[in-house]
Amino acid sequence: KVPVLILSFFQQALNSGIRRYHVAPVLCQRAKVAMSHFEPNEHINYEKLEKNINIVRKRLDRPLTLSEKIVYGHLDDPAKQEIERGKTYLRLRPDRVAMQDATAQMAMLQFISSGLPKVAVPSTIHCDHLIEAQSGGEKDLRRAKDINQEVYNFLATAGAKYGVGFWKPGSGIIHQIILENYSYPGVMLIGTDSHTPNGGGLGGICIGVGGADAVDVMAGIPWELKCPKVIGVKLTGKLSGWSSPKDVILKVAGILTVKGGTGAIIEYHGPGVDSISCTGMATICNMGAEIGATTSVFPYNARMKKYLGKTGRADIAALADEFQQHLVPDSGCQYDQVIEINLSELKPHINGPFTPDLAHPVSDIGAVAEKEGWPVDIRVGLIGSCTNSSYEDMGRSAAVAKQALAHGLKCKSKFTITPGSEQIRATIERDGYAQILRDVGGLVLANACGPCIGQWDRKDIKKGEKNTIVTSYNRNFTGRNDANPETHAFVTSPEIVTALSIAGTLKFNPETDYLTGADGKKFKLEAPDADELPKLEFDPGQDTYQYPPKDGSGQHVDVSPTSQRLQLLEPFDKWDGKDLEDMLILIKVKGKCTTDHISAAGPWLKFRGHLDNISNNLLIGAINIENGKANSVRNALTQEFGPVPDTARYYKKMGVKWAVIGDENYGEGSSREHAALEPRHLGGRVIITKSFARIHETNLKKQGLLPLTFADPADYNKIHPVDKLSIVGLADFAPGKPLKCIIKHPNGSQETIMLNHTFNESQIEWFQAGSALNRMKELQQKSS
């Protein structure tokens, strides 16, 4: 096999023109292929994956899905691990960790407090969240570097000290950088961002987590994940015309809703898979976060091989070919649920407003908008983001724009473009796409998250003004992009965004409707066509990566005690061994409560490294059921209404514990662990809901809080904001055993309800120690 492997590599190297400096390591050691260009001494270990898969397959005695192969292939103890989908907790050994700069601050602060000298697995930090879109790429980047210098310096020096690679501001969005450099078939990667599943487009199991989970993996501790169920999405037919990979996930979101994928991996399979480009598969996996899925994944195929070759990783592709049987599902494997989509019949979709699962065919949206009273005039169209910023995406958008320009038209709406990475930016500049998009009226923003996460200094409307925007992003919760609750945001493919921005209205259907050119003649846009990858090599652009030194022990990491951006962490208090009695209710939340509602982004991003300061945004977006208002709750001790954070601080000052009551899928959306750190910091003890989003529930456990669910969802109606709550029986807190909650009403009457939980034994130890980090330190002290 070795000569075949070497010959295959040389053929790819010569045909695709990949960087020649990757040939030598493959020639020297066939079995030792580097995980990335940047870590030549860290190697892909398919042999271990194969060994673990074989152990588990023999134990389970059944065919395995692809998801199971990769997940079980990373078990800490495959011979003894109890495995039952949806029930048991798995102890896993991920291959690597990735952190974006907003969440990396708290993750690195936690790692520093662990006392460990260096990360145990390859890890990277990516500066993409702190760059505000204002006037254009270069100016916005310069401004961000100036404003965030203290934070960037902290992350760079912390990375150097603890062995973490550092991608500087301007390098691009974390998920695009991972796809270009770090994801590969069969990898298990965890990232401190909910859209980490983007890497599933290259056949990896890439999972979004909170910073505390990342610290576990960086510390070399087995990472726990509830054994996922597997939802199969069988794709048949072939994409064509205006239909795009984005429409696949928009359709799936409409079917499964924002919580339909909770606790499951979405596994795409079937003959239709091969009609989708690698970056298109990444788009589908990326937005799988919006249906609550643990992650999403595609099987290794020729499209992935082509992408690996074009991004200088033909050696990885050749190795993946050798182990391909472990990178695709077994024949006859069973899924917990199967959805079938015929790509040949799939129409372009647009989802929204205010939720990413409200799906509409583009052909219907104009009429639906008029019926619902949504503004049909489009104020801004925005393409790019981590979901849709590939070379193919930009090419298809440019193909639409070029047709408009040929007829003398420009965008009627404002139009912005966000390149996903420095490599994409440089390549679309070289190949003319960027100029076409500028010529049609577009503004090219920095290689960063920008408006997708609320980093948008929007000037064209006033706050409270009702308006519509269309984006190729992934998330469109109320106020998400511009902090205006009256902005109706719709998500769709970049080519549909471009077409709608040219027309300026939701009532335009590019498949059937005509535009009027500058000469007065009507014309119809043709379905866009573009190369999935550049004919030449990618232009890497500027070098934006900082390697960690071999020995960072002498590196100084500075955190000023007077800083308003950074704050060293103090350990949370341990459980006192008593029941939680007579807790006040900080807020009873009405309806949807995402992590954006719990810990807003946008202007608050600058405080992500300072727990006390960012806690001033706690639950300011949540609607109080008592008065229907946001950021207005009754102080039970003074009977005055005031902001949520101020009330929580008052309770903490008075030594009073408090709880939050939530609705369905509480904490959906971003992976930000600040939504768990803040309530813990301000004295919260319990969050009781009808159901939780996966990442947020884990984050709450990690910080020593009790996330509990109503055994009977109707009991939500028994609790009133003026009641007091007691959680009793904590001395006997055990896995699978419900807890008792006593509700004390102001008139002296009481009711008792039962609350469920998903804690296992080790997670109960987190609660008892005060946090997972406290427990880690306890174990370190015992072993030393």
Side-chain angles (χ1 to χ4, degrees), residues 663-681:
D663 210 314
E664 294 278 7
N665 207 30
Y666 184 89
E668 68 175 283
S670 166
S671 69
R672 68 191 66 153
E673 66 179 338
H674 299 78
L677 282 160
E678 292 175 33
R680 183 72 165 97
H681 175 64

Side-chain angles (χ1 to χ4, degrees), residues 594-601 608 614 617 619 672 674-675 678:
T594 72
T595 48
D596 282 276
H597 293 88
I598 304 166
S599 177
R608 285 283 180 89
I614 199 168
N617 76 2
L619 286 159
R672 68 191 66 153
H674 299 78
E678 292 175 33

Side-chain angles (χ1 to χ4, degrees), residues 377-378 409-413 497-509 514-515 525:
D377 291 339
I378 298 167
L409 296 186
K410 289 190 175 185
C411 291
K412 288 185 178 179
S413 310
V497 172
T498 307
L500 293 178
S501 299
I502 291 165
T505 176
L506 289 176
K507 294 194 286 185
F508 178 70
N509 177 10
Y514 287 79
L515 295 168
L525 293 169

Side-chain angles (χ1 to χ4, degrees), residues 430-569:
R430 181 197 69 193
D431 292 353
Y433 290 166
Q435 192 55 51
I436 292 171
L437 295 170
R438 286 192 192 95
D439 290 344
V440 83
L443 174 67
V444 178
L445 302 174
N447 314 323
C449 301
C452 183
I453 60 163
Q455 283 284 48
W456 185 14
D457 186 19
R458 190 176 180 190
K459 303 289 191 184
D460 64 296
I461 60 158
K462 295 178 181 178
K463 190 167 183 177
E465 182 179 343
K466 198 173 179 181
N467 74 103
T468 284
I469 64 173
V470 292
T471 82
S472 68
Y473 303 163
N474 44 40
R475 194 166 282 162
N476 60 345
F477 300 137
T478 303
R480 164 84 178 178
N481 304 119
D482 61 2
N484 179 14
E486 290 300 323
T487 293
H488 294 57
F490 296 84
V491 291
T492 184
S493 68
E495 51 266 47
I496 292 293
V497 172
T498 307
L500 293 178
S501 299
I502 291 165
T505 176
L506 289 176
K507 294 194 286 185
F508 178 70
N509 177 10
E511 288 191 299
T512 57
D513 296 345
Y514 287 79
L515 295 168
T516 302
D519 59 2
K521 294 181 180 178
K522 292 187 177 297
F523 72 98
K524 190 174 156 190
L525 293 169
E526 295 181 4
D529 187 33
D531 294 331
E532 65 178 281
L533 295 165
K535 290 184 171 64
L536 303 174
E537 281 196 61
F538 276 110
D539 183 340
Q542 299 179 35
D543 182 5
T544 56
Y545 180 72
Q546 172 187 292
Y547 288 85
K550 289 184 179 179
D551 181 7
S553 58
Q555 176 71 52
H556 179 67
V557 181
D558 184 33
V559 179
S560 169
T562 60
S563 173
Q564 294 301 302
R565 299 288 302 270
L566 298 164
Q567 181 186 46
L568 292 174
L569 297 174

Side-chain angles (χ1 to χ4, degrees), residues 104 142 146 247 273 275 307 331 459 503 659:
R142 284 198 301 270
D146 180 53
D247 297 307
V273 166
S275 75
Y307 183 81
S331 177
K459 303 289 191 184

